[in-house]
Amino acid sequence: MEDFYQISKKEMEFLTAEINRWKEENIISEEQSEDILALYELKKSSLRMVLFTAGCVLLGLGAISFIAAQWHVIPKLLRVCIIVSFYILSIAAYLFTGRSETKTGKSFLLLAGAILGSGIYLITRMYNYKLEWSTILGVWGLCIMIAALFTRDTWQVYFSQVIVLMYLIVIDAVDIFALDFLNTARLPLSEFFSPINAFALIASLWVLWKILNDRLAFNLNLALTILLLASRMSLCFGGTWTLIILALTGAVMSFISRWIDTEHAGLLMLGVFGLLLTWPEFWKGDLFTQPIMGIEGSSFWPVINALVVAVLMLVNIYRGHGAIGVVFCALLASRYFFDHLFGYMPKAWGFTLTGIIFLGASMFFGKIRKFFSKE
């Protein structure tokens, strides 16, 4: 059976108009235009699928409402059967709609994943086997990863990444208060990989990404990895060393694009963490507060850091990553301008001079990019 590309009515009208224009300009012949149009067909009306989906959702909500009202009087075994039945029905709906209606099929698969997580919680509670939330989230995340592996569905990957993030927060592996830059190290280095489950789940997500090779999954995995490493480093090394290590890691990542597509992520890490290190408040510890050439360490190191970051950004502009490089160079300039000069001049002059600097920078870097693009 011959395969056709299904397109919408609007797309078909556009294609037909383009083909007619190509015929008028003698780019293609009448026979070629017919051959091209023969490759396409109009998508079938989605009204039937919309009504079908809406009916299924309403029936599901009605069944859930009825069961919720009678939940405590339903025998335990029947409750388990109900949960399993809903899960199987969701999978069946995915298999039935997945080939022709991709988004609808993925929605049913996500519903199945949600039922799986709630089922783990409800069944264990029914039989008085109270699992910790961390255990529930860990098992749930692994199950969703397995589903993503078998279905090759990127939505399942994103779903598992959200669950893994919740797991990391629950077990305090990712602590939003861990990057306390005013404190030094609080844990021995031997505790860096504790809990090992957190690193195992992150490693599993990277394996899953390697198999599916999805760009968004890569970015989310990278964000989760940075969160985990930053939290552990801040506890074992302190806030200052954490920022230095992350900034250096970003610099290295921006130069290893031949092996891994990490330039932009590395530049963002270098820019964000390097920019934070331009403030003296983030340089703590005896090593960084010792005077150097008569200058207090907490004032000396931020300036050296700013110069290094600026040079690395200029190098990356030369290498073709102008957008991110220009943004962070402008932010560095603005940070020092507003901190040291802006307060000493009238506001009108301050804003005017700032605008001139930004316009000049945009023209200057634009010319640099054009020059190197000709080389």
Side-chain angles (χ1 to χ4, degrees), residues 245-316:
I245 293 170
L246 290 173
L248 288 175
T249 303
V252 172
M253 288 170 58
S254 67
F255 287 96
I256 59 173
S257 58
R258 290 184 180 180
W259 298 279
I260 309 173
D261 187 15
T262 57
E263 310 110 307
H264 294 95
L267 275 173
L268 287 173
M269 287 178 62
L270 171 63
V272 171
F273 297 118
L275 192 62
L276 287 176
L277 285 170
T278 61
W279 273 273
E281 292 80 7
F282 291 141
W283 291 87
K284 298 296 179 182
D286 295 336
L287 179 64
F288 301 111
T289 54
Q290 294 293 327
I292 299 175
M293 296 182 294
I295 304 173
E296 186 179 354
S298 59
S299 299
F300 174 82
W301 290 113
V303 175
I304 297 299
N305 165 81
L307 292 173
V308 171
V309 172
V311 169
L312 288 173
M313 287 298 171
L314 289 172
V315 170
N316 276 284

